[in-house]
Amino acid sequence: MSLGDEPGYPETGHTRTRLPEDPYGGAGRRGGRSSSRSLVTVVGVVVLLIAAIAFANRGGGDEPSNSADTGSTANGSRPVTSSTAASGTKPVTTKSQGIPTGFAHSEQGAQSAAANYATALGSDGMFNTARRHAIVQTVADPGVVNSMQSGFDSDYSADFLTKAGLTTDGTAPKGSTFVSRTLPAGTTVTSYSDSAATVEVWCNGLFGIASQTSTHPVTSNWFTVTLKLNWSDGDWKVLASSQKTGPTPVNGDTPVSGSDEISKAVQEFGGFTYAR
């Protein structure tokens, strides 16, 4: 498998976070954006801001004064927000191998489990054999542990690690920082019963090696992980997983940070325990 291939192994019950292609095409980083583009961006923001203020302050007309409070759509029905609004449920407090466990036997519990398991399966720990086995043993359903572990071992081969710019034990070369993080942006349940659930997790991923000489710079990509979960021995466990690209938003007009800043951020900012 090449680094640009779309991963996803639903038939074997495992998946691997997609490695983004080199955004610089091997020709070095792009130069800074022109001042004219920056000026256009600033003017555009100002225009949008003025329009937003005018819209918020408008009064009278044909609009009823309480229309903003009803939350009604054009056909009179109230929009459904429960599928996207945070529940306020606190994250679980128990962990195994550093991975949250002990999720509630509910749809919210399944979503929390899926978000945390997607994070673990997309972490830098998957690139080290011992750590990968510990992750799989923690998140997988007992009935598929062996097959899932075998599949991942095949994926994270020595050849794959070399192509990713890593050593054979899954670490970055001396003087550089390896980054592999999966950051859930949201979850949704596509099917649910007391014994099984299928949850989609929309994620942003960071992957690459931060250093002055890296040929694999840290880039970001968006993807959706689908996890099939089973209620087993008092917790949600992974039966199978797959992955597809997107939905991908437009990149912001923000300057690219240097490798030193990225390395510092990775070392200083820890990950999260997710709850729905």
Side-chain angles (χ1 to χ4, degrees):
M1 175 188 293
S2 67
L3 299 187
D5 288 342
E6 180 65 31
Y9 309 87
E11 70 279 7
T12 57
H14 62 281
T15 187
R16 182 175 67 221
T17 300
R18 183 177 187 273
L19 307 187
E21 297 178 357
D22 184 350
Y24 311 118
R29 295 181 182 274
R30 295 177 296 176
R33 292 180 171 84
S34 66
S35 59
S36 60
R37 178 174 179 179
S38 298
L39 178 60
V40 171
T41 300
V42 172
V43 171
V45 171
V46 172
V47 171
L48 290 175
L49 180 59
I50 293 174
I53 293 174
F55 180 85
N57 291 333
R58 70 180 184 178
D62 297 329
E63 293 288 336
S65 60
N66 63 347
S67 62
D69 297 327
T70 63
S72 299
T73 58
N75 61 10
S77 61
R78 191 175 183 84
V80 177
T81 59
S82 59
S83 60
T84 56
S87 67
T89 302
K90 294 182 178 180
V92 295
T93 57
T94 55
K95 290 186 177 182
S96 177
Q97 297 293 334
I99 302 171
T101 56
F103 297 96
H105 194 185
S106 64
E107 286 195 30
Q108 288 185 9
Q111 291 180 77
S112 296
N116 283 284
Y117 293 165
T119 300
L121 292 171
S123 68
D124 56 5
M126 292 294 291
F127 292 78
N128 175 270
T129 301
R131 181 62 182 142
R132 178 170 62 251
H133 289 179
I135 292 173
V136 174
Q137 291 285 338
T138 301
V139 308
D141 182 85
V144 301
V145 166
N146 291 336
S147 60
M148 186 177 292
Q149 183 168 290
S150 176
F152 276 125
D153 286 345
S154 176
D155 290 338
Y156 292 92
S157 64
D159 181 61
F160 171 76
L161 296 178
T162 299
K163 289 181 179 179
L166 303 172
T167 63
T168 55
D169 63 352
T171 59
K174 186 177 181 180
S176 59
T177 301
F178 174 46
V179 184
S180 180
R181 290 195 183 186
T182 295
L183 315 170
T187 59
T188 186
V189 175
T190 57
S191 67
Y192 180 82
S193 69
D194 284 342
S195 60
T198 300
V199 182
E200 293 185 352
V201 187
W202 182 33
C203 304
N204 178 228
L206 302 176
F207 186 88
I209 298 175
S211 76
Q212 296 291 342
T213 59
S214 175
T215 58
H216 300 83
V218 179
T219 57
S220 65
N221 64 323
W222 289 85
F223 51 92
T224 298
V225 176
T226 299
L227 295 176
K228 293 184 178 181
L229 305 176
N230 184 50
W231 184 254
S232 175
D233 195 23
D235 205 357
W236 292 107
K237 296 297 181 180
V238 178
L239 279 176
S241 64
S242 60
Q243 180 179 310
K244 64 181 180 181
T245 301
T248 303
V250 176
N251 290 329
D253 192 25
T254 55
V256 175
S257 298
S259 59
D260 290 342
E261 187 176 354
I262 294 294
S263 295
K264 183 179 180 182
V266 171
Q267 295 165 12
E268 292 184 349
F269 293 91
F272 293 99
T273 296
Y274 293 88
R276 181 66 175 88

